[in-house]
Amino acid sequence: MVGVFMARISRGRTLCQLVFAGTLGSFALTVPWYVATGGSALWLQTTGQADLLAVYWDVGLAGVSFALFDQLLPFADLFSAILLGLVAVGLYREYRV
């Protein structure tokens, strides 16, 4: 599905331009997300404001995201619902028959 989308928006471009834009675009979106969430999680854990390791051992990795949202964001319930929706859509698209 992603390939069809990329093919449609890249009409008239060379393969080199398509690969470069796809690689650079995904890198430009992924790195800031991991830096922000990972840095925030490390900061909360080291300052003692949240015990994310305990959440990880009790609930698992998915629970850490919700605990991180609860500590950092003003509308944590809204962002948690959006995250849950994105995870559900991703799982549906991954495992549908």
Side-chain angles (χ1 to χ4, degrees):
M1 195 67 172
V2 173
V4 172
F5 171 73
M6 292 299 288
R8 287 189 142 188
I9 66 169
S10 63
R11 189 173 305 272
R13 305 275 185 215
T14 66
L15 183 61
C16 182
Q17 289 172 333
L18 177 65
V19 169
F20 181 72
T23 304
L24 186 66
S26 62
F27 181 78
L29 293 174
T30 303
V31 169
W33 172 257
Y34 280 117
V35 167
T37 56
S40 299
L42 284 172
W43 178 72
L44 287 172
Q45 185 69 34
T46 56
T47 59
Q49 294 183 9
D51 193 8
L52 298 176
L53 287 176
V55 174
Y56 175 74
W57 291 116
D58 291 342
V59 182
L61 187 59
V64 175
S65 298
F66 293 107
L68 187 64
F69 284 166
D70 284 340
Q71 291 292 322
L72 293 177
L73 300 174
F75 300 107
D77 294 335
L78 175 66
F79 284 105
S80 294
I82 291 170
L83 177 65
L84 188 61
L86 289 173
V87 168
V89 167
L91 288 174
Y92 172 75
R93 292 188 63 175
E94 183 71 27
Y95 295 109
R96 69 180 169 176
V97 178

PDB file of all heavy atoms in Angstrom, residues 49-79:
ATOM      1  N   GLN A  49      10.617  11.350  38.916  1.00  0.00           N
ATOM      2  CA  GLN A  49       9.245  11.827  38.761  1.00  0.00           C
ATOM      3  C   GLN A  49       8.293  10.725  38.314  1.00  0.00           C
ATOM      4  O   GLN A  49       7.094  10.821  38.529  1.00  0.00           O
ATOM      5  CB  GLN A  49       9.203  12.991  37.777  1.00  0.00           C
ATOM      6  CG  GLN A  49       9.918  14.210  38.282  1.00  0.00           C
ATOM      7  CD  GLN A  49       9.804  15.369  37.322  1.00  0.00           C
ATOM      8  OE1 GLN A  49       9.059  15.326  36.363  1.00  0.00           O
ATOM      9  NE2 GLN A  49      10.565  16.424  37.587  1.00  0.00           N
ATOM     10  N   ALA A  50       8.828   9.699  37.676  1.00  0.00           N
ATOM     11  CA  ALA A  50       8.005   8.563  37.253  1.00  0.00           C
ATOM     12  C   ALA A  50       8.873   7.318  37.294  1.00  0.00           C
ATOM     13  O   ALA A  50      10.066   7.368  37.001  1.00  0.00           O
ATOM     14  CB  ALA A  50       7.463   8.783  35.853  1.00  0.00           C
ATOM     15  N   ASP A  51       8.273   6.205  37.672  1.00  0.00           N
ATOM     16  CA  ASP A  51       8.995   4.938  37.685  1.00  0.00           C
ATOM     17  C   ASP A  51       8.552   4.122  36.473  1.00  0.00           C
ATOM     18  O   ASP A  51       7.703   3.243  36.568  1.00  0.00           O
ATOM     19  CB  ASP A  51       8.730   4.185  38.981  1.00  0.00           C
ATOM     20  CG  ASP A  51       9.687   3.030  39.174  1.00  0.00           C
ATOM     21  OD1 ASP A  51      10.653   2.921  38.380  1.00  0.00           O
ATOM     22  OD2 ASP A  51       9.468   2.244  40.108  1.00  0.00           O
ATOM     23  N   LEU A  52       9.126   4.466  35.324  1.00  0.00           N
ATOM     24  CA  LEU A  52       8.732   3.821  34.077  1.00  0.00           C
ATOM     25  C   LEU A  52       9.226   2.383  33.999  1.00  0.00           C
ATOM     26  O   LEU A  52       8.609   1.557  33.321  1.00  0.00           O
ATOM     27  CB  LEU A  52       9.243   4.633  32.883  1.00  0.00           C
ATOM     28  CG  LEU A  52       8.690   6.054  32.784  1.00  0.00           C
ATOM     29  CD1 LEU A  52       9.336   6.797  31.635  1.00  0.00           C
ATOM     30  CD2 LEU A  52       7.186   6.048  32.640  1.00  0.00           C
ATOM     31  N   LEU A  53      10.307   2.063  34.691  1.00  0.00           N
ATOM     32  CA  LEU A  53      10.776   0.677  34.710  1.00  0.00           C
ATOM     33  C   LEU A  53       9.787  -0.235  35.421  1.00  0.00           C
ATOM     34  O   LEU A  53       9.561  -1.373  35.007  1.00  0.00           O
ATOM     35  CB  LEU A  53      12.156   0.581  35.354  1.00  0.00           C
ATOM     36  CG  LEU A  53      13.309   1.103  34.507  1.00  0.00           C
ATOM     37  CD1 LEU A  53      14.607   1.055  35.294  1.00  0.00           C
ATOM     38  CD2 LEU A  53      13.437   0.313  33.235  1.00  0.00           C
ATOM     39  N   ALA A  54       9.188   0.252  36.497  1.00  0.00           N
ATOM     40  CA  ALA A  54       8.168  -0.541  37.196  1.00  0.00           C
ATOM     41  C   ALA A  54       6.956  -0.758  36.299  1.00  0.00           C
ATOM     42  O   ALA A  54       6.373  -1.844  36.278  1.00  0.00           O
ATOM     43  CB  ALA A  54       7.762   0.143  38.494  1.00  0.00           C
ATOM     44  N   VAL A  55       6.582   0.267  35.553  1.00  0.00           N
ATOM     45  CA  VAL A  55       5.470   0.126  34.604  1.00  0.00           C
ATOM     46  C   VAL A  55       5.821  -0.893  33.534  1.00  0.00           C
ATOM     47  O   VAL A  55       5.000  -1.729  33.154  1.00  0.00           O
ATOM     48  CB  VAL A  55       5.118   1.494  33.973  1.00  0.00           C
ATOM     49  CG1 VAL A  55       4.079   1.340  32.875  1.00  0.00           C
ATOM     50  CG2 VAL A  55       4.637   2.463  35.027  1.00  0.00           C
ATOM     51  N   TYR A  56       7.064  -0.848  33.059  1.00  0.00           N
ATOM     52  CA  TYR A  56       7.507  -1.801  32.043  1.00  0.00           C
ATOM     53  C   TYR A  56       7.432  -3.234  32.553  1.00  0.00           C
ATOM     54  O   TYR A  56       6.964  -4.132  31.864  1.00  0.00           O
ATOM     55  CB  TYR A  56       8.926  -1.472  31.600  1.00  0.00           C
ATOM     56  CG  TYR A  56       9.507  -2.477  30.641  1.00  0.00           C
ATOM     57  CD1 TYR A  56       9.090  -2.525  29.323  1.00  0.00           C
ATOM     58  CD2 TYR A  56      10.453  -3.393  31.056  1.00  0.00           C
ATOM     59  CE1 TYR A  56       9.605  -3.449  28.439  1.00  0.00           C
ATOM     60  CE2 TYR A  56      10.985  -4.324  30.184  1.00  0.00           C
ATOM     61  CZ  TYR A  56      10.560  -4.351  28.871  1.00  0.00           C
ATOM     62  OH  TYR A  56      11.067  -5.274  28.011  1.00  0.00           O
ATOM     63  N   TRP A  57       7.893  -3.478  33.787  1.00  0.00           N
ATOM     64  CA  TRP A  57       7.887  -4.837  34.318  1.00  0.00           C
ATOM     65  C   TRP A  57       6.484  -5.298  34.664  1.00  0.00           C
ATOM     66  O   TRP A  57       6.185  -6.497  34.594  1.00  0.00           O
ATOM     67  CB  TRP A  57       8.791  -4.942  35.535  1.00  0.00           C
ATOM     68  CG  TRP A  57      10.236  -4.811  35.179  1.00  0.00           C
ATOM     69  CD1 TRP A  57      11.074  -3.808  35.581  1.00  0.00           C
ATOM     70  CD2 TRP A  57      11.019  -5.660  34.336  1.00  0.00           C
ATOM     71  NE1 TRP A  57      12.318  -3.985  35.034  1.00  0.00           N
ATOM     72  CE2 TRP A  57      12.320  -5.121  34.261  1.00  0.00           C
ATOM     73  CE3 TRP A  57      10.744  -6.825  33.627  1.00  0.00           C
ATOM     74  CZ2 TRP A  57      13.332  -5.701  33.533  1.00  0.00           C
ATOM     75  CZ3 TRP A  57      11.768  -7.409  32.893  1.00  0.00           C
ATOM     76  CH2 TRP A  57      13.034  -6.854  32.840  1.00  0.00           C
ATOM     77  N   ASP A  58       5.590  -4.375  35.050  1.00  0.00           N
ATOM     78  CA  ASP A  58       4.217  -4.765  35.408  1.00  0.00           C
ATOM     79  C   ASP A  58       3.323  -4.958  34.191  1.00  0.00           C
ATOM     80  O   ASP A  58       2.601  -5.946  34.099  1.00  0.00           O
ATOM     81  CB  ASP A  58       3.583  -3.709  36.329  1.00  0.00           C
ATOM     82  CG  ASP A  58       4.211  -3.690  37.699  1.00  0.00           C
ATOM     83  OD1 ASP A  58       4.872  -4.684  38.059  1.00  0.00           O
ATOM     84  OD2 ASP A  58       4.043  -2.682  38.406  1.00  0.00           O
ATOM     85  N   VAL A  59       3.356  -3.996  33.261  1.00  0.00           N
ATOM     86  CA  VAL A  59       2.401  -3.980  32.152  1.00  0.00           C
ATOM     87  C   VAL A  59       3.039  -4.370  30.832  1.00  0.00           C
ATOM     88  O   VAL A  59       2.435  -5.039  30.010  1.00  0.00           O
ATOM     89  CB  VAL A  59       1.747  -2.577  32.037  1.00  0.00           C
ATOM     90  CG1 VAL A  59       0.720  -2.548  30.942  1.00  0.00           C
ATOM     91  CG2 VAL A  59       1.139  -2.158  33.349  1.00  0.00           C
ATOM     92  N   GLY A  60       4.233  -3.912  30.589  1.00  0.00           N
ATOM     93  CA  GLY A  60       4.897  -4.167  29.322  1.00  0.00           C
ATOM     94  C   GLY A  60       5.258  -2.856  28.641  1.00  0.00           C
ATOM     95  O   GLY A  60       5.025  -1.764  29.158  1.00  0.00           O
ATOM     96  N   LEU A  61       5.807  -2.998  27.462  1.00  0.00           N
ATOM     97  CA  LEU A  61       6.308  -1.832  26.735  1.00  0.00           C
ATOM     98  C   LEU A  61       5.200  -0.861  26.336  1.00  0.00           C
ATOM     99  O   LEU A  61       5.379   0.348  26.365  1.00  0.00           O
ATOM    100  CB  LEU A  61       7.086  -2.294  25.502  1.00  0.00           C
ATOM    101  CG  LEU A  61       7.816  -1.232  24.710  1.00  0.00           C
ATOM    102  CD1 LEU A  61       8.831  -0.517  25.598  1.00  0.00           C
ATOM    103  CD2 LEU A  61       8.513  -1.847  23.528  1.00  0.00           C
ATOM    104  N   ALA A  62       4.036  -1.392  25.959  1.00  0.00           N
ATOM    105  CA  ALA A  62       2.937  -0.517  25.542  1.00  0.00           C
ATOM    106  C   ALA A  62       2.461   0.368  26.690  1.00  0.00           C
ATOM    107  O   ALA A  62       2.061   1.511  26.480  1.00  0.00           O
ATOM    108  CB  ALA A  62       1.778  -1.341  25.008  1.00  0.00           C
ATOM    109  N   GLY A  63       2.513  -0.129  27.898  1.00  0.00           N
ATOM    110  CA  GLY A  63       2.081   0.655  29.046  1.00  0.00           C
ATOM    111  C   GLY A  63       2.993   1.819  29.355  1.00  0.00           C
ATOM    112  O   GLY A  63       2.566   2.823  29.933  1.00  0.00           O
ATOM    113  N   VAL A  64       4.247   1.722  28.956  1.00  0.00           N
ATOM    114  CA  VAL A  64       5.194   2.808  29.202  1.00  0.00           C
ATOM    115  C   VAL A  64       4.795   4.049  28.417  1.00  0.00           C
ATOM    116  O   VAL A  64       4.915   5.173  28.908  1.00  0.00           O
ATOM    117  CB  VAL A  64       6.634   2.359  28.871  1.00  0.00           C
ATOM    118  CG1 VAL A  64       7.604   3.515  28.998  1.00  0.00           C
ATOM    119  CG2 VAL A  64       7.049   1.222  29.780  1.00  0.00           C
ATOM    120  N   SER A  65       4.302   3.875  27.194  1.00  0.00           N
ATOM    121  CA  SER A  65       3.869   5.026  26.392  1.00  0.00           C
ATOM    122  C   SER A  65       2.737   5.772  27.079  1.00  0.00           C
ATOM    123  O   SER A  65       2.734   7.002  27.137  1.00  0.00           O
ATOM    124  CB  SER A  65       3.405   4.564  25.013  1.00  0.00           C
ATOM    125  OG  SER A  65       4.447   3.962  24.317  1.00  0.00           O
ATOM    126  N   PHE A  66       1.778   5.032  27.608  1.00  0.00           N
ATOM    127  CA  PHE A  66       0.662   5.683  28.291  1.00  0.00           C
ATOM    128  C   PHE A  66       1.121   6.358  29.577  1.00  0.00           C
ATOM    129  O   PHE A  66       0.659   7.455  29.909  1.00  0.00           O
ATOM    130  CB  PHE A  66      -0.442   4.666  28.576  1.00  0.00           C
ATOM    131  CG  PHE A  66      -1.094   4.147  27.325  1.00  0.00           C
ATOM    132  CD1 PHE A  66      -0.849   2.867  26.890  1.00  0.00           C
ATOM    133  CD2 PHE A  66      -1.935   4.953  26.592  1.00  0.00           C
ATOM    134  CE1 PHE A  66      -1.443   2.385  25.734  1.00  0.00           C
ATOM    135  CE2 PHE A  66      -2.528   4.489  25.436  1.00  0.00           C
ATOM    136  CZ  PHE A  66      -2.291   3.197  25.003  1.00  0.00           C
ATOM    137  N   ALA A  67       2.036   5.731  30.308  1.00  0.00           N
ATOM    138  CA  ALA A  67       2.565   6.358  31.526  1.00  0.00           C
ATOM    139  C   ALA A  67       3.356   7.614  31.194  1.00  0.00           C
ATOM    140  O   ALA A  67       3.292   8.615  31.914  1.00  0.00           O
ATOM    141  CB  ALA A  67       3.438   5.360  32.286  1.00  0.00           C
ATOM    142  N   LEU A  68       4.086   7.582  30.093  1.00  0.00           N
ATOM    143  CA  LEU A  68       4.841   8.758  29.660  1.00  0.00           C
ATOM    144  C   LEU A  68       3.898   9.897  29.288  1.00  0.00           C
ATOM    145  O   LEU A  68       4.124  11.050  29.656  1.00  0.00           O
ATOM    146  CB  LEU A  68       5.735   8.395  28.476  1.00  0.00           C
ATOM    147  CG  LEU A  68       6.722   9.433  27.975  1.00  0.00           C
ATOM    148  CD1 LEU A  68       7.750   9.745  29.048  1.00  0.00           C
ATOM    149  CD2 LEU A  68       7.402   8.946  26.723  1.00  0.00           C
ATOM    150  N   PHE A  69       2.822   9.569  28.572  1.00  0.00           N
ATOM    151  CA  PHE A  69       1.828  10.597  28.229  1.00  0.00           C
ATOM    152  C   PHE A  69       1.197  11.176  29.478  1.00  0.00           C
ATOM    153  O   PHE A  69       0.949  12.386  29.555  1.00  0.00           O
ATOM    154  CB  PHE A  69       0.741  10.024  27.329  1.00  0.00           C
ATOM    155  CG  PHE A  69       1.168   9.825  25.903  1.00  0.00           C
ATOM    156  CD1 PHE A  69       0.411   9.065  25.046  1.00  0.00           C
ATOM    157  CD2 PHE A  69       2.316  10.400  25.399  1.00  0.00           C
ATOM    158  CE1 PHE A  69       0.781   8.888  23.728  1.00  0.00           C
ATOM    159  CE2 PHE A  69       2.712  10.224  24.094  1.00  0.00           C
ATOM    160  CZ  PHE A  69       1.931   9.465  23.258  1.00  0.00           C
ATOM    161  N   ASP A  70       0.887  10.334  30.460  1.00  0.00           N
ATOM    162  CA  ASP A  70       0.259  10.827  31.695  1.00  0.00           C
ATOM    163  C   ASP A  70       1.147  11.821  32.424  1.00  0.00           C
ATOM    164  O   ASP A  70       0.650  12.760  33.043  1.00  0.00           O
ATOM    165  CB  ASP A  70      -0.061   9.664  32.632  1.00  0.00           C
ATOM    166  CG  ASP A  70      -1.279   8.877  32.186  1.00  0.00           C
ATOM    167  OD1 ASP A  70      -2.080   9.425  31.399  1.00  0.00           O
ATOM    168  OD2 ASP A  70      -1.419   7.720  32.622  1.00  0.00           O
ATOM    169  N   GLN A  71       2.442  11.636  32.360  1.00  0.00           N
ATOM    170  CA  GLN A  71       3.364  12.517  33.067  1.00  0.00           C
ATOM    171  C   GLN A  71       3.664  13.809  32.321  1.00  0.00           C
ATOM    172  O   GLN A  71       3.911  14.832  32.929  1.00  0.00           O
ATOM    173  CB  GLN A  71       4.688  11.797  33.328  1.00  0.00           C
ATOM    174  CG  GLN A  71       4.577  10.690  34.330  1.00  0.00           C
ATOM    175  CD  GLN A  71       4.301  11.219  35.718  1.00  0.00           C
ATOM    176  OE1 GLN A  71       4.817  12.252  36.115  1.00  0.00           O
ATOM    177  NE2 GLN A  71       3.476  10.507  36.462  1.00  0.00           N
ATOM    178  N   LEU A  72       3.650  13.775  30.993  1.00  0.00           N
ATOM    179  CA  LEU A  72       4.164  14.910  30.219  1.00  0.00           C
ATOM    180  C   LEU A  72       3.109  15.794  29.570  1.00  0.00           C
ATOM    181  O   LEU A  72       3.329  16.986  29.416  1.00  0.00           O
ATOM    182  CB  LEU A  72       5.096  14.393  29.120  1.00  0.00           C
ATOM    183  CG  LEU A  72       6.401  13.767  29.587  1.00  0.00           C
ATOM    184  CD1 LEU A  72       7.175  13.252  28.392  1.00  0.00           C
ATOM    185  CD2 LEU A  72       7.226  14.778  30.339  1.00  0.00           C
ATOM    186  N   LEU A  73       2.022  15.217  29.139  1.00  0.00           N
ATOM    187  CA  LEU A  73       1.095  15.965  28.288  1.00  0.00           C
ATOM    188  C   LEU A  73      -0.086  16.515  29.068  1.00  0.00           C
ATOM    189  O   LEU A  73      -0.599  15.857  29.980  1.00  0.00           O
ATOM    190  CB  LEU A  73       0.601  15.067  27.156  1.00  0.00           C
ATOM    191  CG  LEU A  73       1.704  14.538  26.238  1.00  0.00           C
ATOM    192  CD1 LEU A  73       1.124  13.564  25.249  1.00  0.00           C
ATOM    193  CD2 LEU A  73       2.388  15.670  25.519  1.00  0.00           C
ATOM    194  N   PRO A  74      -0.565  17.696  28.686  1.00  0.00           N
ATOM    195  CA  PRO A  74      -1.703  18.284  29.398  1.00  0.00           C
ATOM    196  C   PRO A  74      -3.014  17.541  29.133  1.00  0.00           C
ATOM    197  O   PRO A  74      -3.859  17.461  30.000  1.00  0.00           O
ATOM    198  CB  PRO A  74      -1.764  19.721  28.868  1.00  0.00           C
ATOM    199  CG  PRO A  74      -1.023  19.699  27.590  1.00  0.00           C
ATOM    200  CD  PRO A  74      -0.021  18.594  27.679  1.00  0.00           C
ATOM    201  N   PHE A  75      -3.198  16.997  27.950  1.00  0.00           N
ATOM    202  CA  PHE A  75      -4.413  16.255  27.616  1.00  0.00           C
ATOM    203  C   PHE A  75      -4.044  14.788  27.406  1.00  0.00           C
ATOM    204  O   PHE A  75      -4.177  14.232  26.328  1.00  0.00           O
ATOM    205  CB  PHE A  75      -5.067  16.828  26.356  1.00  0.00           C
ATOM    206  CG  PHE A  75      -5.455  18.265  26.491  1.00  0.00           C
ATOM    207  CD1 PHE A  75      -4.744  19.255  25.836  1.00  0.00           C
ATOM    208  CD2 PHE A  75      -6.519  18.633  27.296  1.00  0.00           C
ATOM    209  CE1 PHE A  75      -5.091  20.582  25.963  1.00  0.00           C
ATOM    210  CE2 PHE A  75      -6.868  19.963  27.428  1.00  0.00           C
ATOM    211  CZ  PHE A  75      -6.160  20.943  26.762  1.00  0.00           C
ATOM    212  N   ALA A  76      -3.592  14.158  28.476  1.00  0.00           N
ATOM    213  CA  ALA A  76      -3.063  12.795  28.378  1.00  0.00           C
ATOM    214  C   ALA A  76      -4.114  11.806  27.910  1.00  0.00           C
ATOM    215  O   ALA A  76      -3.809  10.890  27.144  1.00  0.00           O
ATOM    216  CB  ALA A  76      -2.495  12.364  29.720  1.00  0.00           C
ATOM    217  N   ASP A  77      -5.357  11.970  28.324  1.00  0.00           N
ATOM    218  CA  ASP A  77      -6.407  11.034  27.912  1.00  0.00           C
ATOM    219  C   ASP A  77      -6.652  11.114  26.414  1.00  0.00           C
ATOM    220  O   ASP A  77      -6.846  10.086  25.757  1.00  0.00           O
ATOM    221  CB  ASP A  77      -7.705  11.309  28.668  1.00  0.00           C
ATOM    222  CG  ASP A  77      -7.573  11.014  30.150  1.00  0.00           C
ATOM    223  OD1 ASP A  77      -6.702  10.187  30.505  1.00  0.00           O
ATOM    224  OD2 ASP A  77      -8.336  11.598  30.941  1.00  0.00           O
ATOM    225  N   LEU A  78      -6.636  12.312  25.866  1.00  0.00           N
ATOM    226  CA  LEU A  78      -6.843  12.484  24.432  1.00  0.00           C
ATOM    227  C   LEU A  78      -5.696  11.849  23.643  1.00  0.00           C
ATOM    228  O   LEU A  78      -5.924  11.103  22.687  1.00  0.00           O
ATOM    229  CB  LEU A  78      -6.956  13.970  24.091  1.00  0.00           C
ATOM    230  CG  LEU A  78      -7.049  14.318  22.607  1.00  0.00           C
ATOM    231  CD1 LEU A  78      -8.358  13.795  22.023  1.00  0.00           C
ATOM    232  CD2 LEU A  78      -6.937  15.807  22.408  1.00  0.00           C
ATOM    233  N   PHE A  79      -4.463  12.116  24.042  1.00  0.00           N
ATOM    234  CA  PHE A  79      -3.325  11.535  23.343  1.00  0.00           C
ATOM    235  C   PHE A  79      -3.264  10.018  23.519  1.00  0.00           C
ATOM    236  O   PHE A  79      -2.858   9.303  22.609  1.00  0.00           O
ATOM    237  CB  PHE A  79      -2.020  12.187  23.801  1.00  0.00           C
ATOM    238  CG  PHE A  79      -1.808  13.545  23.229  1.00  0.00           C
ATOM    239  CD1 PHE A  79      -1.995  14.673  24.007  1.00  0.00           C
ATOM    240  CD2 PHE A  79      -1.450  13.703  21.909  1.00  0.00           C
ATOM    241  CE1 PHE A  79      -1.806  15.936  23.480  1.00  0.00           C
ATOM    242  CE2 PHE A  79      -1.252  14.965  21.373  1.00  0.00           C
ATOM    243  CZ  PHE A  79      -1.437  16.083  22.155  1.00  0.00           C
TER     244      PHE A  79
END
